[in-house]
Amino acid sequence: MILPVVLFFTLCAYLIYFYRKSHNYWKNRGLEYVKPTIPFGNFSNFYSKKEGFGETFAKIYGEIKSRGVRHGGGYYFWNPLYIPTDPVIIKDIFISSFEHFKNHGFYMVKEDPMTQHLFNLEDDKWRDVRAKLSHCFTSGKMRNMFNVMVEHTDVLKRVLKEELSDKSDVKIKKILVRYTTDVVSKCLMGVNTDTLINDKAEILWHGSEFFSKTWGYINNTIVLLIPRAILQKLNFRITPKETEVFFKDLFKNIKSYREKNNDTRNDLFDSVLKLSDPNYTSNLNDFNGKKGMEPLNFDITVAQCYGFFVAGFETSSTTITFALYELAKNMDKQDLLRQDINDTLKKYNNELTYDSVQNMEYLEMVLKETLRLYPAFPFIPRGCNKDYKVPGTDFVVKKGTGVILSGMGIQRDPEYWPNPEKFEPQRFSIQNRDKIVPYTYFPFGEGPRLCIAHRFGQLQTKVGILTLIKDYKITINEAMKPLKFGSYGIVLAPRDDIWLNFERIN
Ligand code: HEM
C-alpha cells in the first residue's frame, strides 16, 4: 500500500519540479512572458472551454504588447512559444529570415499518410511540391473555376429556398460548408460531390471529422505536446483510417476514369498526378535547378488532394458565415454592399462574370474587413529551424522553438486598427488602404509560405457572399446567442450556430 503512495508523491514532486524548471525558460532568457500555470501553461481558458485557440494567442499577444515590448514568450503546457508583436520582426520572420522559419511544424509522418499534405510538408520536399503546384491557382485558372463557383450558386439558392419554405431562419454555416465542399471538389479534382443535394454524402463526414470537436481537441493536444519521433514510434494517427481509405479510393477512381477517357483537365488533380509519374518528373528541375525531380509516391500524391480539400472548404465557408453575421448586424453596410453588387452588375449587362466580381469594390472591402476580424487561421505557426537573432536586439530565438504570429492579435490591435471590434469595411477603401501599417494584416499569411490558393479562397468567398446578399435581406434571428469562438479546432469558428433570418427581396 505504501509503495504506490510513495510513487504517486514522487511523480507529483517530479512533475512540479519539471514544470517549474520549464516555466523558468523565458525568465532565464530575459524575455517578458505571460505567467503560466500548471498544467496548461497559458491555455487554462482554452481547456476549460472559455475561449478558442486563436483567441488565447490573441490574448497573449495583447498582454505582451501592454508591457510596451516588441516580443515576448508564452507557454503551451510546459513548451515555450516565442510571440513577436512588432510588425518589423513579423515581416522579418515571414520574408527576410524565411530560411530560419520554413516550416509550420505540424504533425507529419509517413505512418499517417494523409498528414503529408502541402501545409505540413517540410524543407526541400515542400519547396519542390509547392513550386510545381503554384500554377494551379493563377488568375487565368481562376476564370475557369469561377464558372464552377457560379454554377453551384444555383443549387445553393435552391437548397436555401427549400429550407426557407416553412420558416425564415436558417443555420447558414451548415449549408455553406456543403457549397464550398462541392465547389472545391469540382474545381480541384473534377468530381461532383453533390453535398448540397445530399446532406448525408460520405465526404462531408470525412471533411468535418477533421474539424470535429473530439478529434480536434484531443489530437491537437497530443501532437503539440509529444515529440514527433515518439508519436511515430507509437504509430500515432490523427487521420481516421476510414478517411484515408475513402480518399485513396476516390483518388484511384478519378485517376482510372481520366485514363480510360483520355480526359485531361489541367486542374490540381492532373498536376499532382503528373508529379507521381517518373517519366514526367525526370524532365523537371528540382528546387536547386538540378535536372530530375524525385516523383511523389502514391501516399503523398493522395495527401495533396486531401490537404487541398480540407484547407479549402472550411476556411471559405467560415469566412462567408462571419461576413453574413456582421452584415446582418450592420444593415447600413449590408445595403451599401447590395448597392455595389447591383450597380456593378448593371455595368456588365446584369451578368455575373469574373470581371464584374473583380470590380465590386465594396465587396472586396467587406471581405478584407471580415478577414481582419475573423481570420480563418487566427494564428500562423512557424518552427524555428536555425538559431535566429531578432533584428534590433541581442535576443536569439533558439532552434526548435515554436513561433506564433498572432493574426487575430495584431488585426485587433487598437494601435493599428482604431476601434478594432467594430466592423468597418471603409478601413480598406482605396483611399485608406495605403494607411495600413505593413504586416499588421495577414489573413493569408505572407512570404514564400503564403496561402497557395488565396485567389481561389477570396473568389469562392466573394461569390458566396454576393449570391446571398443580392437576393436576401439578412437579419440576426433571436435564437442567436452572443458570438463566442469554438474552442476545438485550429480554424476560427463560431462555437454555437449562427442563426440568421433570410427575407427574399429579388
Ligand atoms: C478565406 C479563405 C482562406 C484563408 C483565410 C486561408 C488562409 C491560409 C493561411 C493563413 C495559410 C498559412 C500561410 C502561412 O503559413 O504563411 C494558408 C495555407 C494554405 N492554404 Fe489557405 N486559406 C484560405 C483558403 C484556401 C483554399 C480555398 C485552399 C485550397 C483550395 C487553401 C489551401 C491552402 C494550402 C494548401 C496551404 C499551405 C501552403 C503551404 O504551406 O505552402 N486555402 N491558408
Side-chain angles (χ1 to χ4, degrees), residues 104 119 126 130 311-312 315 377 382 443-446 449 451 453 456:
H104 286 128
F119 194 94
W126 165 74
R130 168 107 192 188
T315 43
F377 284 116
R382 290 281 189 269
F444 291 97
E446 277 293 350
R449 221 141 184 165
C451 173
F456 181 92

Side-chain angles (χ1 to χ4, degrees), residues 12 34 120 122 129 140 188 200 204 279 292 296 339 346-347 354 359 365 377 392 452 457 478 486 494:
C12 289
V34 179
N120 288 354
E122 298 187 339
V129 175
L188 305 187
K200 306 273 179 307
L204 278 177
N279 293 328
L296 303 185
Q339 185 79 42
K346 260 187 215 137
K347 291 186 203 151
Y354 178 79
N359 278 303
M365 289 155 58
F377 284 116
I452 190 171
E478 55 201 18

Side-chain angles (χ1 to χ4, degrees), residues 359-374:
N359 278 303
M360 292 176 186
E361 201 178 302
Y362 199 71
L363 178 60
E364 171 86 11
M365 289 155 58
V366 164
L367 173 64
K368 287 204 151 88
E369 177 66 347
T370 304
L371 285 169
R372 180 189 70 80
L373 274 172
Y374 308 103

Side-chain angles (χ1 to χ4, degrees), residues 94 102 104 117-121 126 130 137 184 188 268 304 307-317 319 367 371 374-382 405 442-454 456-458 460-461:
F94 268 138
K102 283 185 285 195
H104 286 128
H117 51 70
L118 190 67
F119 194 94
N120 288 354
L121 282 181
W126 165 74
R130 168 107 192 188
F137 297 98
V184 168
L188 305 187
L268 180 91
Q304 299 321 306
F308 274 90
F309 168 73
V310 166
F313 79 89
E314 183 74 10
T315 43
S316 302
S317 57
T319 308
L367 173 64
L371 285 169
Y374 308 103
F377 284 116
F379 64 95
I380 298 184
R382 290 281 189 269
L405 307 172
F442 43 81
F444 291 97
E446 277 293 350
R449 221 141 184 165
L450 171 83
C451 173
I452 190 171
H454 62 103
F456 181 92
Q458 290 178 71
Q460 173 174 235
T461 307

